[in-house]
Amino acid sequence: MRYVGIDLHKERITVCVVDQDRNVRQTRKFPCADPARIEAFFAALGPFEAVVEATASYEWLLGRIEPLARRVVLAHPGKLRVIAESTRKSDKLDARVLAEFLALDMNPQAYRPTPRQREHRALVRHRQFLMKERTQVRVKVRRILSDSNADRRDLFARGGRDHIAAVPLSDSDRFIVDQMLIQLSSFEAQLAELRTRLRQFATAASAAEQRHRQVLQSVTGVGEVTTEVVLAELGDIRRFRSAKQVVAYAGLAPGRRESAGKVRELGITKQGSPLLRWVLVEAAWQAVRRSAYWRGIYRALKQRRGARRAIVAVARRLLEVLVALLRSG
């Protein structure tokens, strides 16, 4: 049996092959632009297992070598501290460490989303991108109108375009605002099309996924956007052993530092999915506004910890409720 560590980069891969005694048999480099050559190398190895770090673009490589391998392991890059903290870091060394860990069956494994979940994440994250771009355009239009003392709260509601057209602006500002409004219309059209695509995607879901959507949207403060983000980012809830693991994955777990018997609480870790963390905080605000139960929790926490920490704590508790519902149905 051969054990293959793969250090993957955008333009090339470095491959290290070791045997069961962790002796290096060969080390090779291949350009990513020549996948046929990579596939031929792995096909000639005989029985082998392979490991690659869960970087941004690993799927194309796994698609090539998975049919040839006994097993392919997706390694968690954040937990491979021996590589990340090495003072003698190189592509060859990284590939060798991965191969040796694989021979010892010590690689910390990362979660690999299913093809459907990858599609879901792509759609949900693209919606977030479009919303962010739309917000930036709106902010720029507001800034220009503010210079003329013409900004108002309903600027982008019905009738707002007529107000913008009536504001006396310089020729340059009018040109910029007109271009911004064209972009804004384009973003609105893309978002509408994307909403339709997401709803079509939801109709093709399994019965279990459809039940998950229904139970999530039964919670106060949780709407369509929050539901889609939670399902896309978490994937199979059974991969988490506890709600605490889900909270940590969302980056909502508070940090803690202990030294010489003294304990100091830190802010949240902010690790994991920033989109999931953002949508949960937004949902927490909605829950506080609409539910006396959540409002009471928020006010009690606010008196002790302040508004920002209180809403994060509500978001954390809300996530724990969502996890319980996903597990129980």
Side-chain angles (χ1 to χ4, degrees):
M1 177 67 71
R2 294 289 186 261
Y3 300 93
V4 187
I6 307 170
D7 188 57
L8 173 63
H9 293 277
K10 185 176 181 180
E11 296 183 356
R12 68 180 183 278
I13 67 170
T14 302
V15 177
C16 179
V17 183
V18 304
D19 58 23
Q20 292 181 345
D21 297 322
R22 291 175 289 153
N23 298 312
V24 177
R25 292 301 183 182
Q26 55 180 316
T27 302
R28 299 282 299 276
K29 290 188 178 182
F30 299 97
C32 293
D34 193 358
R37 185 179 166 195
I38 295 172
E39 189 173 343
F41 170 81
F42 282 97
L45 280 179
F48 73 92
E49 294 182 1
V51 57
V52 62
E53 283 186 301
T55 56
S57 305
Y58 61 82
E59 274 298 329
W60 72 268
L61 180 61
L62 296 193
R64 290 278 182 171
I65 67 174
E66 212 165 20
L68 307 171
R70 293 278 184 90
R71 181 173 68 128
V72 176
V73 174
L74 194 63
H76 195 303
K79 296 180 180 178
L80 286 169
R81 297 181 62 182
V82 68
I83 292 179
E85 298 178 357
S86 173
T87 57
R88 297 176 56 246
K89 186 168 170 44
S90 68
D91 294 346
K92 288 184 179 180
L93 181 60
D94 290 354
R96 179 175 177 176
V97 171
L98 286 169
E100 291 180 350
F101 273 35
L102 181 62
L104 295 169
D105 199 18
M106 290 176 56
N107 275 304
Q109 295 192 32
Y111 173 68
R112 185 182 178 188
T114 64
R116 177 172 174 83
Q117 189 185 350
R118 287 198 297 273
E119 285 192 52
H120 199 186
R121 282 184 177 180
L123 292 173
V124 167
R125 292 175 181 181
H126 182 57
R127 177 174 59 187
Q128 179 67 9
F129 166 78
L130 291 176
M131 291 174 65
K132 185 176 180 181
E133 293 294 308
R134 182 184 64 177
T135 299
Q136 290 180 346
V137 170
R138 287 179 172 182
V139 168
K140 188 166 185 177
V141 171
R142 285 190 180 280
R143 186 194 60 78
I144 293 175
L145 293 184
S146 295
D147 291 340
S148 299
N149 195 31
D151 189 16
R152 65 186 197 186
R153 294 190 62 175
D154 61 343
L155 190 62
F156 299 105
R158 182 175 297 180
R161 293 292 181 100
D162 294 335
H163 171 72
I164 294 173
V167 175
L169 299 173
S170 66
D171 291 343
S172 296
D173 283 345
R174 176 58 63 187
F175 174 79
I176 294 171
V177 167
D178 287 346
Q179 286 208 327
M180 291 294 101
L181 293 178
I182 292 173
Q183 289 188 40
L184 190 59
S185 298
S186 175
F187 288 138
E188 295 287 358
Q190 290 179 63
L191 283 167
E193 186 177 359
L194 187 54
R195 279 192 293 271
T196 302
R197 183 63 177 268
L198 276 167
R199 287 167 183 167
Q200 292 173 348
F201 185 88
T203 60
S206 64
E209 186 179 321
Q210 291 179 2
R211 287 196 302 271
H212 287 163
R213 280 188 170 83
Q214 293 173 358
V215 74
L216 288 178
Q217 293 191 29
S218 69
V219 179
T220 301
V222 177
E224 184 177 1
V225 172
T226 303
T227 298
E228 295 301 323
V229 171
V230 168
L231 291 178
E233 294 296 312
L234 293 184
D236 186 358
I237 197 65
R238 293 172 296 180
R239 69 188 178 100
F240 299 100
R241 291 194 299 270
S242 65
K244 287 185 177 180
Q245 281 195 339
V246 184
V247 169
Y249 178 78
L252 290 171
R256 180 185 175 93
R257 180 170 294 169
E258 184 174 352
S259 179
K262 297 181 179 179
V263 178
R264 184 161 68 96
E265 291 188 1
L266 307 176
I268 58 174
T269 61
K270 294 187 178 180
Q271 296 177 348
S273 170
L275 176 56
L276 179 60
R277 188 164 55 253
W278 168 81
V279 82
L280 287 168
V281 172
E282 292 297 312
W285 280 119
Q286 291 296 324
V288 167
R289 294 187 186 104
R290 299 181 183 184
S291 166
Y293 170 77
W294 289 111
R295 190 158 51 249
I297 293 176
Y298 170 73
R299 288 174 177 174
L301 290 167
K302 181 180 177 182
Q303 290 179 352
R304 302 197 313 266
R305 311 303 298 273
R308 291 181 62 184
R309 289 192 174 187
I311 198 63
V312 170
V314 171
R316 182 164 56 246
R317 294 189 187 190
L318 179 61
L319 177 58
E320 290 173 350
V321 170
L322 299 183
V323 171
L325 290 173
L326 288 174
R327 289 190 186 280
S328 67

